[in-house]
């Protein structure tokens, strides 16, 4: 395991790494009240048309958002509104 800390990804491998996070946007201005669970791009690369901090998808429940994130190879980590705002800076 100790030799894992020295492993690095080359550019081709890095292109395959996706970022993402789950955010509950209920009550946030501009969110979709019928689909308050959002999958957010938390990486510096584009995922589809979504750049860092953008919504990758919206869902009416947490389970569907987590499943969509998983299918897309994205993280299922829930983040706060402050974290979303920081991603968008």
């Amino acid at each position: 395991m100790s030799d894992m800390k020295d492993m690095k990804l080359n550019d081709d491998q890095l292109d395959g790494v996706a970022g993402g996070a789950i955010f509950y946007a209920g009550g946030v201005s501009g969110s979709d009240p019928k689909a308050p669970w959002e999958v957010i791009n938390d990486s510096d690369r584009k995922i589809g048309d979504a750049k860092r901090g953008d919504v990758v998808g919206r869902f009416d429940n947490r389970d569907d958002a987590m499943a969509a994130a998983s299918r897309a190879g994205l993280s299922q980590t829930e983040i706060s509104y402050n974290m979303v705002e920081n991603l968008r800076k």
Side-chain angles (χ1 to χ4, degrees):
M1 244 347 193
S2 63
D3 57 343
M4 298 262 309
K5 69 180 180 175
D6 296 324
M7 293 180 68
K8 296 189 171 135
L9 298 174
N10 65 37
D11 288 339
D12 290 334
Q13 292 168 317
L14 190 57
D15 284 342
V17 175
I22 306 298
F23 172 62
Y24 179 72
V28 175
S29 177
S31 67
D32 182 347
K34 294 181 181 177
W37 286 95
E38 299 178 345
V39 178
I40 305 290
N41 179 2
D42 71 350
S43 72
D44 286 329
R45 68 182 194 89
K46 289 184 92 173
I47 298 174
D49 290 332
K51 61 184 184 300
R52 182 178 173 94
D54 285 351
V55 176
V56 176
R58 291 183 172 88
F59 302 88
D60 66 354
N61 64 74
R62 181 179 180 268
D63 289 342
D64 286 351
M66 292 186 78
S70 179
R71 281 191 307 273
L74 302 175
S75 170
Q76 298 175 1
T77 303
E78 287 187 45
I79 61 174
S80 69
Y81 181 73
N82 286 340
M83 292 172 146
V84 172
E85 287 297 303
N86 285 334
L87 289 171
R88 293 177 176 168
K89 290 182 180 179

